[in-house]
Amino acid sequence: MVNVFTMDAQIDEILRKNQLSVTGSRKRILELFLMSNGALAHGDIEKKTGEKFDRVTVYRTLQTFLEKGIIHNIPTADNSVLYALCKDDCSEGHHHDNHVHFICSECGKTICLADVTVPEVKLPGGFLPHEYQMVVTGLCKECR
Amino acid sequence: MVNVFTMDAQIDEILRKNQLSVTGSRKRILELFLMSNGALAHGDIEKKTGEKFDRVTVYRTLQTFLEKGIIHNIPTADNSVLYALCKDDCSEGHHHDNHVHFICSECGKTICLADVTVPEVKLPGGFLPHEYQMVVTGLCKECR
DNA sequence: CACTGGCATGCAACTTTGTTGCAAAAAGAT
DNA sequence: ATCTTTTTGCAACAAAGTTGCATGCCAGTG
């Protein structure tokens, strides 16, 4: 499914397009997002890059990606910070990440339910909706 | 608007109904929620009770209220922790905070849309859902 | 109203999470 | 290859949240 060659090119392209120099940590973190194909908690990223990069670098890289609109953060009620890749057509500020995210409360993994689209609910008058986010917590296949 | 006598009685009733002993910190913190009639950050609570109660007590009290379903926490765009009173029908133990939250991307306010319930979506096989959260971002009445 | 068991609180120490300043290292341009 | 700018790692710090334990307060009983 994931082709290393194309992904590597893709990573370069994303960084260049956003006028960011192509560095090890940026490539690695971006790679994680592309591979996970979904939302990542900061903790996940730290764990998976833990030995290679400094904690601070991860913070700063994510911050940079946020500012450039490469990723966006997903608010959750339990206050865990989630980040997800923006789609290509997600130009600055305009994010369309309209599938449901599942967080396993056992193993902590976040899974993108790409097939489950977020239902659009009716809002009371006056509110102008821009983006719908839905996060489901529970047990995943492995942990149930 | 706020009647001290009825509020005091209300506070006692809420605590008793949830089998919690009526203590100073619990009364004070509950009072803050009733007065504010909205969401409070942990910081707000600490500031307003700061001299009277220990930091730890505030944490534990909020934790207790969460478990009992007296309050629920709500997601915010900047990932700060907000708490809000649950409606009366949010019964003990089996607490489902199943209304949609709206975050205004302009003013940053988080609003509980108490009338809008979170639709339960169908998940792929294997997932055992426990809680559904939905956050809508956009512009609120004042900012549109 | 005093007594008592159990729960809540305060304190201290600690962990975890996020931030800042600065020197060294790596990227990009020439 | 060399120079300039950006990025990284380190260290120190600040903020946020947790845990264990001794003391104090609450509710229930006689």
Side-chain angles (χ1 to χ4, degrees):
Chain A
M1 169 202 172
V2 176
N3 185 316
V4 176
F5 173 70
T6 55
M7 189 166 70
D8 221 47
Q10 203 180 343
I11 290 172
D12 269 42
E13 196 199 324
I14 293 173
L15 290 176
R16 292 242 168 70
K17 199 156 50 182
N18 288 281
Q19 294 138 38
L20 292 173
S21 40
V22 181
T23 69
S25 68
R26 286 176 184 165
K27 281 203 289 188
R28 181 77 186 100
I29 291 176
L30 207 42
E31 190 188 21
L32 283 178
F33 277 110
L34 287 170
M35 288 197 311
S36 86
N37 192 33
L40 289 177
H42 184 113
D44 298 335
I45 299 166
E46 263 196 38
K47 262 173 236 158
K48 289 177 183 168
T49 64
E51 298 127 27
K52 274 188 84 81
F53 303 108
D54 193 81
R55 236 159 46 83
V56 180
T57 301
V58 177
Y59 279 112
R60 288 198 268 226
T61 303
L62 288 173
Q63 190 57 39
T64 306
F65 285 0
L66 272 180
E67 281 161 12
K68 291 290 185 179
I70 298 173
I71 59 176
H72 64 278
N73 54 8
I74 302 173
T76 61
D78 65 347
N79 222 55
S80 59
V81 194
L82 287 185
Y83 301 90
L85 263 192
C86 296
K87 293 283 165 66
D88 289 339
D89 56 357
C90 244
S91 53
E92 316 125 54
H94 253 53
H95 302 305
H96 305 289
D97 190 26
N98 58 347
H99 58 265
V100 174
H101 291 104
F102 188 93
I103 303 179
C104 179
S105 48
E106 190 66 25
C107 64
K109 259 192 204 166
T110 303
I111 299 148
C112 267
L113 305 178
D115 301 331
V116 187
T117 43
V118 175
E120 297 210 351
V121 296
K122 278 184 192 164
L123 303 181
F127 291 99
L128 199 64
H130 174 66
E131 188 184 9
Y132 295 82
Q133 305 254 14
M134 189 157 180
V135 178
V136 183
T137 52
L139 296 178
C140 73
K141 294 172 190 171
E142 284 79 24
C143 296
R144 58 181 297 185
Chain B
M1 168 202 171
V2 176
N3 184 316
V4 175
F5 172 72
T6 55
M7 189 166 71
D8 222 46
Q10 203 181 343
I11 289 172
D12 269 41
E13 197 200 323
I14 293 173
L15 290 176
R16 292 242 167 71
K17 199 156 53 180
N18 288 280
Q19 295 139 37
L20 292 174
S21 41
V22 181
T23 68
S25 68
R26 285 176 185 165
K27 281 203 288 188
R28 181 78 187 100
I29 291 176
L30 207 41
E31 191 189 19
L32 283 178
F33 276 110
L34 287 170
M35 289 198 312
S36 86
N37 194 32
L40 288 177
H42 182 113
D44 297 335
I45 298 165
E46 263 195 39
K47 262 173 235 156
K48 288 176 184 168
T49 64
E51 298 126 25
K52 275 188 84 79
F53 304 108
D54 193 80
R55 233 161 49 84
V56 180
T57 302
V58 178
Y59 279 114
R60 288 198 268 227
T61 303
L62 289 173
Q63 190 57 38
T64 305
F65 285 180
L66 271 181
E67 281 163 11
K68 291 290 184 178
I70 298 173
I71 59 175
H72 62 277
N73 50 12
I74 63 185
T76 63
D78 63 348
N79 277 299
S80 60
V81 194
L82 284 185
Y83 301 90
L85 266 190
C86 292
K87 289 285 162 66
D88 292 338
D89 56 356
C90 240
S91 63
E92 321 112 52
H94 230 54
H95 165 59
H96 283 296
D97 171 32
N98 56 352
H99 61 262
V100 174
H101 291 104
F102 188 92
I103 301 178
C104 179
S105 49
E106 189 66 25
C107 63
K109 262 193 201 165
T110 301
I111 298 150
C112 283
L113 304 178
D115 301 330
V116 185
T117 44
V118 176
E120 297 210 351
V121 296
K122 277 183 192 165
L123 303 179
F127 291 100
L128 200 63
H130 175 64
E131 192 185 6
Y132 295 82
Q133 298 180 5
M134 187 155 181
V135 179
V136 183
T137 52
L139 296 178
C140 71
K141 293 173 191 171
E142 283 79 25
C143 298
R144 57 181 297 182

